Amino acid sequence: MAMKGVAIVQHGGIDGLRHMDLPDPQPGAGEAVIKVRACALNHLDVWLRIGIPAYPLPLPHVPGSDVAGEVVAVGEGVTNVRVGDKVIVNPNLTCGECEWCRKGEDSLCQSFGIFGAKCWGGYAEYAKVPARNLLPMPANLTFEEAAAFPLTFLTAWHMLITRACLKPGERVLVVAASSGVGVAAVQIAKLAGAFVIATAGTDEKCEKAKAIGADAVINHSRENIAERVKELTDGRGVDVVVEHVGPSVFEQCLLALAKGGRLITCGATTGPNASFDIRFLFSRQLSIIGSMMGRTSELLTILFLVGEGKLKPIIDRTFPLAEAAKAHEVLESRNFFGKLVLVV
């Protein structure tokens, strides 16, 4: 039996993506197969397609980390889901046995991986998933909306709430607020009681950032981020910066911090190397904190809040599965706000 899917068949440009016949997945012990209804894109998908040393892949490879669908088959020993259940995929792949897993620190697992990177993902009609990674889909969401929040909201929550220890009343700068992580961070920071400043590259995106909770906005295409932050905070600066862009904004983000401020970073879309004046770092007692993905316990909290309507997935547009390459073009253009989703 065969299914339709989109696979990376060669590394490089979007011509490396091919809509093709692929083998139907069969569940092993502890696994389930889901009928994929929607799969959201992440920048990780682009890295996998381009090919980077951090993610060596045997090809062909089916990407796609954010998946919503229905259970169609279960393997031996699976009791937490049944055929017909509507589910989302927890993208954290862990061993469940190491020191870090026993502490509940999923993303520190010695064999940590991300669904859609470490194994085949959701750019296909069906996907095989460890059953323990399946969570009930909030009843108030469409499949498209359900696919649009797990990875980015988990990442943003772990950054702000767990790693940066955000407190009510603090001031937060969210860089590139139109991205998936940015959209999530604006909402989470606002829900936590922070004053939120968001940056975006167009006036239209700035207005959309305000609509989801930003108290003030900066158009980073024509305004200096650090200078504008100082104006908005009466020269004080912000307590926390959510940063996932890298060297193009890193120094400005540090300069935007108040004394004792924390810069929390989870990405480097403009490159891996940033430079800054170390004296500024220690003299103002700043902290630079790395963050990656998050805990399953955090995702369960997010699931509840999304189900209550207190956090909302934002979808820019959808594409049929066969047009995954076109979706990648839009993703790389940055001409969108929120998430791009494949409909299967």
Side-chain angles (χ1 to χ4, degrees), residues 139-217:
N140 60 322
L141 301 186
T142 65
F143 284 112
E144 292 81 4
E145 291 168 333
F149 78 87
L151 190 148
T152 51
F153 275 76
L154 176 60
T155 298
W157 186 281
H158 192 64
M159 293 174 78
L160 280 164
I161 306 303
T162 303
R163 299 289 286 143
C165 301
L166 180 65
K167 302 176 184 65
E170 289 193 308
R171 303 174 193 189
V172 175
L173 173 67
V174 177
V175 178
S178 65
S179 67
V181 168
V183 163
V186 168
Q187 294 186 59
I188 292 166
K190 192 65 181 175
L191 185 65
F195 179 86
V196 182
I197 304 171
T199 86
T202 68
D203 290 338
E204 180 184 8
K205 288 180 179 180
C206 284
E207 288 304 310
K208 289 182 177 180
K210 281 186 178 180
I212 62 170
D215 297 289
V217 291

Side-chain angles (χ1 to χ4, degrees), residues 15-207:
D15 55 350
L17 292 172
R18 183 175 302 166
H19 187 237
M20 58 192 294
D21 288 331
L22 295 164
D24 252 342
Q26 302 299 318
E31 297 176 332
V33 171
I34 63 173
K35 166 63 178 170
V36 177
R37 297 295 186 183
C39 180
L41 275 67
N42 291 286
H43 205 84
L44 172 60
D45 303 352
V46 174
W47 292 337
L48 295 175
R49 192 201 73 221
I50 292 171
I52 58 175
Y55 295 100
L57 296 175
L59 300 180
H61 179 83
V62 178
S65 303
D66 275 327
V67 184
E70 297 166 292
V71 178
V72 294
V74 297
E76 182 182 352
V78 173
T79 59
N80 64 307
V81 292
R82 296 179 297 179
V83 172
D85 286 354
K86 295 180 179 180
V87 294
I88 64 167
V89 175
N90 172 4
N92 286 330
L93 297 177
T94 63
C95 71
E97 298 175 355
C98 71
E99 169 192 356
W100 303 106
C101 286
R102 291 197 298 270
K103 291 178 179 178
E105 295 286 359
D106 299 43
S107 57
L108 295 178
C109 171
Q110 291 176 345
S111 59
F112 178 77
I114 300 173
F115 184 77
K118 191 174 183 179
C119 65
W120 280 19
Y123 283 31
E125 292 180 309
Y126 297 93
K128 182 170 67 173
V129 188
R132 68 183 181 187
N133 283 69
L134 294 177
L135 301 173
M137 188 178 109
N140 60 322
L141 301 186
T142 65
F143 284 112
E144 292 81 4
E145 291 168 333
F149 78 87
L151 190 148
T152 51
F153 275 76
L154 176 60
T155 298
W157 186 281
H158 192 64
M159 293 174 78
L160 280 164
I161 306 303
T162 303
R163 299 289 286 143
C165 301
L166 180 65
K167 302 176 184 65
E170 289 193 308
R171 303 174 193 189
V172 175
L173 173 67
V174 177
V175 178
S178 65
S179 67
V181 168
V183 163
V186 168
Q187 294 186 59
I188 292 166
K190 192 65 181 175
L191 185 65
F195 179 86
V196 182
I197 304 171
T199 86
T202 68
D203 290 338
E204 180 184 8
K205 288 180 179 180
C206 284
E207 288 304 310

